[in-house]
Amino acid sequence: MNTRTAFAFALACSLPLLAACKREAPPASSGSGDYAAQTWVLPAEAGSMAPDLVLAPGERVLLSWINRREGRRNALQFASYTEQAGWQSQPRTIAVGNSLIANAADTPHLLATPDGALWAQWLQRQPDDAGGYDLVLARSRDGGMAWTQITRVNDDAQPVEHGFAALWADGADAAGIAWLDGRAQDAAEAHAGHQSSTGAMQLRSNRFDMSLNRGADAVVDARSCDCCQTAVALTARGPLLAYRDRGDDEIRDIAVSRLENGAWTAPKAVHADGWKIDACPVAGPALAASGDTAVVAWYSEAGGTPTLRLARSPNSGERFFAPVTLDAGAAVLGRAAVAIDAQQVWVAWLREDTQGQALMLARYPLDLSKPLQKIEVAKLGARGLASGYPKLAVDAGGAWLVWTDVAKGVAHLKGARIAR
């Protein structure tokens, strides 16, 4: 494990504090080729971090974030935007409290289901300093004014970690959720960030209906990497889940499983990188799908060189073609976001060198044959994990991009509209 990987693992598994290095603000517009990045002014106030970005019916863009300021309770907030009307209301608060966890790597998620309901997922510390944390799921039927929540998605009460979730619409009015679950680990070792010799981190899933009634847990994979993000996308053949697997020999490559006819298919590797690492790299995959086409972006250090890869499946994740290399070299942080539209695949990621961090964006044709465009969207003042993980969404007009930056020690959300 190289220095960057070890540093990221230590930060993410201990709920990192943000750090900063002052730099000049990025320009309002940058780019070359057919698309350019234009500043998208966000309503999140100073202290905001951990964004999520999703599309909703009615050409709406939903943005969520955690407002985290010293001396105040953490608050999970969201706002809705349309290109015609702008921000439709002041930010609304989903949840607030000292037990609401703010983690740059394990972020909350939003979901809009076809029935018009909104769903939100976040992390909550267990009461009485039990030493673990749980997944919380909430649902709003009135556009986010009121939220009904369940305290735990995970049905155990063990003082271990449950997190790194992915949400998807399951029919018109229900939500599916997958997450990493530490109940099979030894509690003391799991809390310290180490794998237990008596058990492994599991990848689990469940379904919740419109009244938040739960189904039965399914174990998708009984041995997964400990603290890498999971990702999900809806394909023509059902939800496809991507995550970092963990073999008995400590090979931690990206795998996928598809929910088909009520059951998860046997996990399959996207590509045999052969990355052997003794600790979690906090580097999960990004995933997008349209019909039968699915694309996965991921970071790897197999062979000793930090590399960002992208691979395509023509059949809903049944098999993947050989990956293409998006970026490689010591400056590659990864932390990719990926999206797909009718003409192209979009990928955003982060780099860091002695001059600081940069947020990159590339477009590829659907067959990934060659890059159509590559631009630097912004230079960042953040260092290390303080910049978190960018989020990307696409519509008919182009792409929406949000990320975390830091100025004078305080986190700020930044946004860009990528359009012609």
Side-chain angles (χ1 to χ4, degrees), residues 62-82:
L62 301 180
L63 171 68
S64 68
W65 65 92
I66 293 179
N67 191 315
R68 182 190 190 202
R69 296 294 295 271
E70 187 174 352
R72 300 193 320 195
R73 294 181 297 170
N74 292 336
L76 175 59
Q77 299 180 307
F78 89 101
S80 176
Y81 181 91
T82 66

Side-chain angles (χ1 to χ4, degrees), residues 396-413:
W400 304 93
L401 186 60
V402 296
W403 65 96
T404 305
D405 204 353
V406 179
K408 298 181 179 178
V410 179
H412 297 264
L413 291 191

Side-chain angles (χ1 to χ4, degrees), residues 47-302:
S48 297
M49 59 172 289
D52 194 33
L53 187 67
V54 297
L55 299 182
E59 299 183 338
R60 290 182 299 150
V61 183
L62 301 180
L63 171 68
S64 68
W65 65 92
I66 293 179
N67 191 315
R68 182 190 190 202
R69 296 294 295 271
E70 187 174 352
R72 300 193 320 195
R73 294 181 297 170
N74 292 336
L76 175 59
Q77 299 180 307
F78 89 101
S80 176
Y81 181 91
T82 66
E83 214 157 10
Q84 294 75 24
W87 294 104
Q88 296 181 302
S89 66
Q90 293 295 318
R92 295 174 180 170
T93 297
I94 300 171
V96 63
N98 292 324
S99 59
L100 194 157
I101 292 174
N103 187 321
D106 193 351
T107 62
H109 295 289
L110 271 182
L111 172 71
T113 45
D115 65 345
L118 301 180
W119 302 71
Q121 166 272 316
W122 66 93
L123 303 180
Q124 197 92 358
R125 288 189 184 86
Q126 293 171 346
D128 303 320
D129 295 323
Y133 54 83
D134 300 310
L135 284 164
V136 178
L137 183 67
R139 187 181 192 274
S140 173
R141 301 187 185 186
D142 58 5
M145 297 296 292
W147 293 83
T148 301
Q149 72 178 59
I150 61 169
T151 303
R152 285 201 306 262
V153 169
N154 49 289
D155 61 2
D156 67 307
Q158 295 186 40
V160 295
E161 297 173 355
H162 312 83
F164 295 97
L167 277 175
W168 66 92
D170 191 337
D173 58 5
I177 184 170
W179 70 95
L180 299 185
D181 192 298
R183 70 183 67 188
Q185 294 179 302
D186 175 81
E189 291 198 13
H191 184 58
H194 302 297
Q195 185 70 33
S196 169
S197 59
T198 59
M201 183 67 77
Q202 298 175 341
L203 177 63
R204 286 179 169 249
S205 79
N206 209 323
R207 180 184 188 272
F208 291 83
D209 67 17
M210 62 184 300
S211 299
L212 290 178
N213 297 313
R214 66 183 304 122
D217 272 15
V219 177
V220 183
D221 195 322
R223 185 178 172 87
S224 65
C225 202
D226 301 72
C227 48
C228 283
Q229 296 81 6
T230 61
V232 69
L234 296 180
T235 73
R237 295 171 62 182
L240 182 67
L241 185 61
Y243 63 100
R244 190 171 292 280
D245 203 0
R246 183 182 182 210
D248 293 337
D249 54 0
E250 299 299 348
I251 298 296
R252 305 192 188 216
D253 289 342
I254 303 302
V256 294
S257 177
R258 189 177 58 252
L259 184 59
E260 197 170 71
N261 299 321
W264 291 97
T265 60
K268 295 182 178 180
V270 173
H271 181 257
D273 291 348
W275 188 13
K276 185 171 185 177
I277 179 173
D278 293 330
C280 177
V282 197
L287 173 67
S290 177
D292 277 317
T293 299
V295 288
V296 180
W298 74 96
Y299 175 88
S300 177
E301 292 180 19

